[in-house]
Amino acid sequence: MNITTHRITAAAGLCAAAAGAIYAGVQVNHPPADVAHIVTTEMAVRETAKAVMAVLSLAGFAGMFLRNHRRFGVLGVAGYVLLTVGYLAMFANQVIVACVLPTVAKTSPGYVQDYVDAAMGGSPSGDIGGMTVLFGITGIGYSLGGLLFGIALFRAGILPRWAALLLAYGTVSALALSVLPESFDRPFAVPTGVALIGLGISLWRDGRRRVDAAEAVDARPTAHADVAAVR
């Protein structure tokens, strides 16, 4: 099997769809963000799943950019760069929560609670160092990058416009979470998950169609050569 651009975008579509399913799925019955739950196995599994989601999303966004870059312009490029940086920061945060905070909680539960409060958009009572910068990068990349990227996808018109608009809405709406109760955090993530599923499935189907069309074109000269040989 030859590795082509069409196959890569199709695979990226599957990654995006899987990321969306994980992102929406981990929100179901999500425990509160506090020290008591950070140290549980359930939270470790959920945060690890979110880290995997971030990696799959990055692959999906790369495929969407590859498919649409000729129609994106400066807006799309800026959105893609911001969104990529935001999800890289998100990945770093999820790894820290899954692998580091449970151990730190045994000796410094106050720091862990401050970390979690800041990650959820609140104000920590103590000093968490440069982690506030990481959260800021995550928020700007996720919200502003998602908004610009969604608008660029909508304008390109290759992938479903409803999913592009839902991505823009789902990501930028996260800005409101800093002034809303924690109970809103989980429902607000679902639209982004659904958008990733819709965009991913469409990208996969588009890639498969282009692969099939390319293979049909490649097979045509071979068929003609076989006929000529028989003659």
Side-chain angles (χ1 to χ4, degrees), residues 162-212:
W162 68 265
L165 287 178
L166 192 59
L167 177 67
Y169 163 77
T171 51
V172 78
S173 65
L175 293 174
L177 295 177
S178 60
V179 296
L180 293 174
E182 183 183 336
S183 58
F184 283 83
D185 289 355
R186 309 309 164 190
F188 267 49
V190 174
T192 301
V194 174
L196 286 173
I197 293 173
L199 291 169
I201 292 176
S202 178
L203 183 64
W204 173 73
R205 288 177 174 172
D206 177 76
R208 288 306 311 167
R209 283 195 300 268
R210 298 173 76 199
V211 167
D212 293 341

Side-chain angles (χ1 to χ4, degrees), residues 2-231:
N2 294 329
I3 298 178
T4 64
T5 302
H6 306 326
R7 294 185 189 277
I8 291 174
T9 54
L14 292 179
C15 289
I22 294 173
Y23 198 36
V26 295
Q27 311 305 328
V28 179
N29 296 323
H30 198 293
D34 53 35
V35 178
H37 290 91
I38 285 294
V39 298
T40 63
T41 301
E42 178 188 356
M43 195 63 114
V45 172
R46 287 179 184 270
E47 298 305 316
T48 301
K50 293 176 189 177
V52 172
M53 177 278 300
V55 173
L56 292 173
S57 296
L58 288 168
F61 295 143
M64 294 176 204
F65 179 78
L66 183 64
R67 180 66 180 92
N68 292 273
H69 72 280
R70 289 189 177 88
R71 303 188 184 189
F72 262 8
V74 176
L75 179 72
V77 173
Y80 173 67
V81 171
L82 283 172
L83 195 58
T84 298
V85 171
Y87 268 77
L88 284 172
M90 182 191 299
F91 170 75
N93 177 53
Q94 301 308 153
V95 171
I96 291 171
V97 175
C99 303
V100 179
L101 292 192
T103 300
V104 176
K106 298 176 182 178
T107 56
S108 303
Y111 175 85
V112 172
Q113 188 60 59
D114 286 338
Y115 184 104
V116 173
D117 290 342
M120 300 300 292
S123 299
S125 58
D127 182 17
I128 58 173
M131 297 312 303
T132 53
V133 177
L134 178 66
F135 299 145
I137 293 173
T138 303
I140 293 173
Y142 178 84
S143 298
L144 181 58
L147 174 64
L148 297 180
F149 194 71
I151 292 174
L153 287 174
F154 179 86
R155 292 174 60 185
I158 295 177
L159 300 179
R161 284 193 159 120
W162 68 265
L165 287 178
L166 192 59
L167 177 67
Y169 163 77
T171 51
V172 78
S173 65
L175 293 174
L177 295 177
S178 60
V179 296
L180 293 174
E182 183 183 336
S183 58
F184 283 83
D185 289 355
R186 309 309 164 190
F188 267 49
V190 174
T192 301
V194 174
L196 286 173
I197 293 173
L199 291 169
I201 292 176
S202 178
L203 183 64
W204 173 73
R205 288 177 174 172
D206 177 76
R208 288 306 311 167
R209 283 195 300 268
R210 298 173 76 199
V211 167
D212 293 341
E215 289 178 346
V217 170
D218 291 341
R220 234 176 276 160
T222 303
H224 293 162
D226 291 343
V227 171
V230 171
R231 288 178 180 175

